[in-house]
Amino acid sequence: MRTYFWNNCATVFLVGVVLGLTNSIACQQNPGKISIAVSGAQAGSDQNYYVVEIPEQGKTTVTITGSGQTPCPTDQEKCKCKKQSADPEPDGDPKYTFTKTAGSQDPADGPTVKWDVDSSVNPGEYKFKVTKIEQAYKACAQGLTGGVTSKSNTQESEEVTVLAYKIETETVAAKPSDKKRKKLGVLEDVIVKFLPSSISVNWNVDEGKGSVSPASGALVTYTAHDEATSPSALKATFKGVTKKTDFTVVEPSTITFTKTSNISQTSPLGVGFLVDCFIGPEDVNLSKASVGEGSTNAVGTGYFSYQNNEKHRPSIRMIPIGNTLTVGKGWDNGNDTITGDTKGPTYSPGKFTWSIPQIYTAGSKTKQFKILDHVKELTMNAGKATLSISKNGVSNQITEP
Amino acid sequence: MMTSQKRILFVYLALLVLLFMRQSQSSEPSYLKKFQLQMKSYECEVAAGKKRQDAPKLFETARAIPDNPESKEWRDSIKLDKLKALVLSLNAIQASLIPNFNLGDKPTRNVAPPPNSGIDSGGSPDDIMDPKLRVQYLAAIAANNAKVERLREENDLVHAKESCLAYLKAYIESYFGTDVSPVKAILESPEISNETRTLIISEISPR
């Protein structure tokens, strides 16, 4: 009987030891504080502070992982047989308990909380902490004494904060209708909001390429550069992290004329027309810019030799580009009057050309963006003179009666 | 023992430190002070019937007041002071706009010279031989330039109004949320015009 008990006890014990060895228990006599780690978010300058941008589309998964050890069973809690003892066999994986303000903890994922950050997430600070690691143990095998049902490391981890943020932009100009666009006209204003608005943010732009006001806060106005720039970056620095928002800035680049009326006189021959002027491109707002004409000297030949070198007067006042958009033409920019005179008979062929620089101003910037030819021509046919004038694809002519 | 020279130096240094501390403590409110001074100067100019173009500068100064939502001082006082500065700026801009200004009355790039002047539109008045026609042309150019200038001034004010209103609306949304009672309290001030009041109320009212 005694021999049987001894053999049975030894066998059970050996099996228990083997099982105990094969199920490695993450235990330590004096386990330290529980650790917590974050992946999928950017570490901020403060300890245990992370930031993640709320994406406009798709999702970013932030994983918060706990790690640490449970206390090992004490001598009294070990399975004993005679003078030998061993740790009781663990029952499954240790359980981690989190306190959290977002995300979910699926036991199948192990000691983690997974948080899918997508457009439905409200901007704000989210807190995570591991409060407990608990290891369950099976009862000691029959014939053994002692045992423990569970052991806990209840030392809390540090709390980590994950800031979920977004930066929203909206153009001040109501037209074009896409107010979220990142393509801007020169000096166009954009309201830029950092969410959550409880965070202090410092803002700056690449040197000289646009401006931002105020320099700090959760709300600023970004004003585009005064000439074409791509990309033009607005930088937000908060919690030790810098986030860049890129804009593309474009200048006035096209001029379209639409004739509204003709002008002519026969004695002496004179001809002209009136046009409405439109400036493009249409997909940005250009109303902070003005357009005018620069100076140039004429090239006059034949009949118009007397006007050779005649000066085109530069615009003293540039006309502001308006806020009315005509699709296919551009933004309204005042009128133009194009007239050409003669000094009367005797007529003969001749040509007069002004190659007029088209200039835009925006703030302190003045820049030529196009040249338009003002062309006046006198031609003779069957003894009759025809005077024509054209500018930017629009023309008018008159023939001697 | 401290010599009298050392004592004077010590007192002097202590005073410097105190002065520096006082200045650094009031670094944020100095922006408000700048706004208040500018506002006073603007009111004097308006009373004298000039410089309506300065109203947008008030907004620029008000907007430039730094925000620091993490600072208690900012939350407790500067936030509200800035809101008031923004409302006053909008009020000034609104008052500077010319009622019923016709933005559709467009100027022309080139003025037509008088008939028989011998030059093309855009030509220099100096090239007109006839002094009478030259004077006519110069007058037409001056009238057109004046029209451009009026349009430019009004345009600047319209832009400033749009920018100020957009910023003010976003400021209220960002920093006051749905509690618009401080805004309404500011709007009750007699210096705020009915037009400005209506404009702001319509912007902050839930749609």
Side-chain angles (χ1 to χ4, degrees):
Chain A
M1 190 66 183
R2 277 181 70 179
T3 312
Y4 169 76
F5 175 78
W6 167 243
N7 287 345
N8 192 34
C9 171
T11 309
V12 170
F13 180 74
L14 278 171
V15 169
V17 169
V18 170
L19 282 174
L21 285 174
T22 52
N23 285 278
S24 60
I25 312 165
C27 78
Q28 199 169 33
Q29 291 305 327
N30 297 300
K33 198 161 190 170
I34 301 170
S35 297
I36 188 163
V38 177
S39 64
Q42 203 175 345
S45 53
D46 293 345
Q47 207 184 353
N48 297 321
Y49 200 96
Y50 297 82
V51 299
V52 61
E53 186 179 13
I54 299 170
E56 281 179 34
Q57 290 175 334
K59 64 177 182 181
T60 301
T61 302
V62 176
T63 305
I64 297 95
T65 308
S67 63
Q69 293 161 317
T70 50
C72 295
T74 59
D75 276 347
Q76 288 73 32
E77 292 164 345
K78 290 187 176 183
C79 296
K80 287 179 190 144
C81 183
K82 299 245 168 177
K83 288 181 180 172
Q84 297 178 73
S85 67
D87 288 343
E89 185 187 343
D91 190 5
D93 292 327
K95 283 181 186 165
Y96 287 71
T97 306
F98 286 85
T99 54
K100 56 186 170 52
T101 50
S104 59
Q105 187 188 358
D106 183 346
D109 292 333
T112 61
V113 166
K114 281 192 175 167
W115 179 32
D116 288 336
V117 179
D118 60 20
S119 58
S120 68
V121 168
N122 287 324
E125 287 179 325
Y126 293 83
K127 311 276 184 188
F128 301 86
K129 189 193 266 187
V130 186
T131 52
K132 188 178 178 185
I133 305 172
E134 190 171 18
Q135 177 65 64
Y137 290 95
K138 288 179 181 172
C140 291
Q142 197 179 4
L144 303 183
T145 58
V148 62
T149 53
S150 72
K151 292 286 284 185
S152 296
N153 180 354
T154 51
Q155 292 196 70
E156 294 181 343
S157 72
E158 301 274 354
E159 184 177 69
V160 295
T161 303
V162 181
L163 170 70
Y165 76 94
K166 63 178 168 183
I167 294 174
E168 289 181 346
T169 67
E170 189 173 291
T171 58
V172 168
K175 293 177 191 170
S177 57
D178 177 12
K179 296 190 82 180
K180 304 280 177 204
R181 68 195 146 79
K182 299 284 194 308
K183 187 178 178 186
L184 307 171
V186 285
L187 294 186
E188 203 177 337
D189 281 341
V190 181
I191 298 289
V192 183
K193 271 186 197 175
F194 184 95
L195 297 167
S197 58
S198 54
I199 302 295
S200 291
V201 182
N202 289 315
W203 303 84
N204 61 72
V205 293
D206 289 336
E207 203 177 324
K209 294 180 177 173
S211 60
V212 65
S213 177
S216 66
L219 172 73
V220 292
T221 302
Y222 167 74
T223 302
H225 195 26
D226 55 15
E227 62 181 334
T229 314
S230 180
S232 181
L234 172 65
K235 291 175 192 160
T237 303
F238 53 99
K239 304 291 182 190
V241 170
T242 298
K243 167 70 184 168
K244 227 169 60 154
T245 305
D246 283 338
F247 295 94
T248 299
V249 183
V250 298
E251 303 166 352
S253 57
T254 64
I255 306 178
T256 305
F257 283 177
T258 301
K259 192 195 277 185
T260 53
S261 62
N262 283 319
I263 304 166
S264 61
Q265 66 173 38
T266 51
S267 183
L269 278 180
V271 71
F273 53 87
L274 299 176
V275 292
D276 282 339
C277 305
F278 301 91
I279 304 293
E282 295 175 20
D283 58 354
V284 296
N285 190 285
L286 296 167
S287 63
K288 287 279 206 73
S290 300
V291 173
E293 297 191 331
S295 66
T296 185
N297 290 331
V299 176
T301 58
Y303 177 89
F304 294 115
S305 295
Y306 72 95
Q307 283 188 295
N308 189 39
N309 231 19
E310 201 170 278
K311 198 181 170 190
H312 181 272
R313 191 183 56 88
S315 307
I316 297 171
R317 298 276 186 274
M318 304 281 183
I319 300 177
I321 299 174
N323 249 321
T324 306
L325 178 65
T326 304
V327 176
K329 291 176 183 170
W331 302 93
D332 65 300
N333 185 231
N335 308 318
D336 199 1
T337 310
I338 296 100
T339 62
D341 238 349
T342 62
K343 56 179 183 180
T346 304
Y347 297 116
S348 62
K351 193 172 180 181
F352 169 95
T353 307
W354 266 328
S355 294
I356 308 167
Q358 302 298 302
I359 292 164
Y360 86 81
T361 59
S364 56
K365 175 70 67 182
T366 299
K367 198 170 171 184
Q368 179 183 320
F369 66 99
K370 213 170 176 64
I371 288 179
L372 294 183
D373 285 345
H374 165 118
V375 180
K376 176 174 69 172
E377 199 163 9
L378 198 53
T379 53
M380 300 300 295
N381 189 13
K384 284 192 173 180
T386 296
L387 178 66
S388 64
I389 193 161
S390 68
K391 189 175 177 183
N392 199 27
V394 180
S395 62
N396 189 21
Q397 64 176 46
I398 185 166
T399 300
E400 225 179 347
Chain B
M1 279 294 283
M2 235 184 207
T3 66
S4 60
Q5 273 184 331
K6 276 184 179 171
R7 208 169 290 145
I8 289 166
L9 187 66
F10 177 78
V11 170
Y12 177 71
L13 283 173
L15 280 172
L16 270 181
V17 168
L18 277 173
L19 188 67
F20 174 75
M21 282 169 68
R22 197 182 160 86
Q23 277 187 340
S24 50
Q25 275 173 355
S26 61
S27 62
E28 283 187 331
S30 73
Y31 286 91
L32 287 168
K33 203 155 194 172
K34 186 181 171 189
F35 175 81
Q36 284 155 0
L37 286 172
Q38 214 171 315
M39 189 76 204
K40 270 186 190 159
S41 157
Y42 171 78
E43 283 166 351
C44 293
E45 299 284 1
V46 168
K50 51 184 179 178
K51 279 205 175 178
R52 70 187 188 107
Q53 286 313 108
D54 277 358
K57 286 182 191 157
L58 287 171
F59 164 55
E60 284 165 23
T61 305
R63 182 176 59 187
I65 296 169
D67 299 321
N68 184 2
E70 291 176 41
S71 138
K72 192 176 180 303
E73 186 195 6
W74 183 86
R75 289 196 304 270
D76 288 351
S77 62
I78 300 171
K79 181 173 89 161
L80 204 61
D81 289 341
K82 180 169 175 176
L83 175 68
K84 192 171 182 190
L86 289 167
V87 172
L88 287 171
S89 304
L90 183 64
N91 196 50
I93 295 167
Q94 182 71 32
S96 301
L97 286 162
I98 295 174
N100 305 318
F101 185 88
N102 183 8
L103 285 165
D105 182 18
K106 300 171 190 172
T108 185
R109 286 159 167 245
N110 293 293
V111 173
N116 306 322
S117 59
I119 65 162
D120 290 17
S121 58
S124 167
D126 297 342
D127 289 325
I128 299 177
M129 297 300 134
D130 183 336
K132 212 173 164 185
L133 294 178
R134 194 186 314 134
V135 168
Q136 268 184 42
Y137 187 42
L138 281 167
I141 290 171
N144 189 59
N145 282 343
K147 195 189 252 191
V148 176
E149 190 54 22
R150 279 196 303 274
L151 177 66
R152 197 189 59 74
E153 284 182 7
E154 195 65 12
N155 213 43
D156 287 352
L157 287 167
V158 168
H159 280 138
K161 180 185 167 183
E162 285 172 356
S163 283
C164 185
L165 192 57
Y167 184 82
L168 178 61
K169 187 186 170 197
Y171 188 84
I172 294 166
E173 279 170 4
S174 288
Y175 298 131
F176 294 87
T178 51
D179 177 21
V180 292
S181 51
V183 186
K184 289 186 172 164
I186 289 172
L187 292 180
E188 277 168 24
S189 161
E191 58 208 301
I192 308 299
S193 73
N194 278 335
E195 258 180 320
T196 307
R197 199 173 290 130
T198 310
L199 190 63
I200 296 173
I201 292 287
S202 70
E203 283 296 326
I204 61 174
S205 299
R207 304 231 158 106

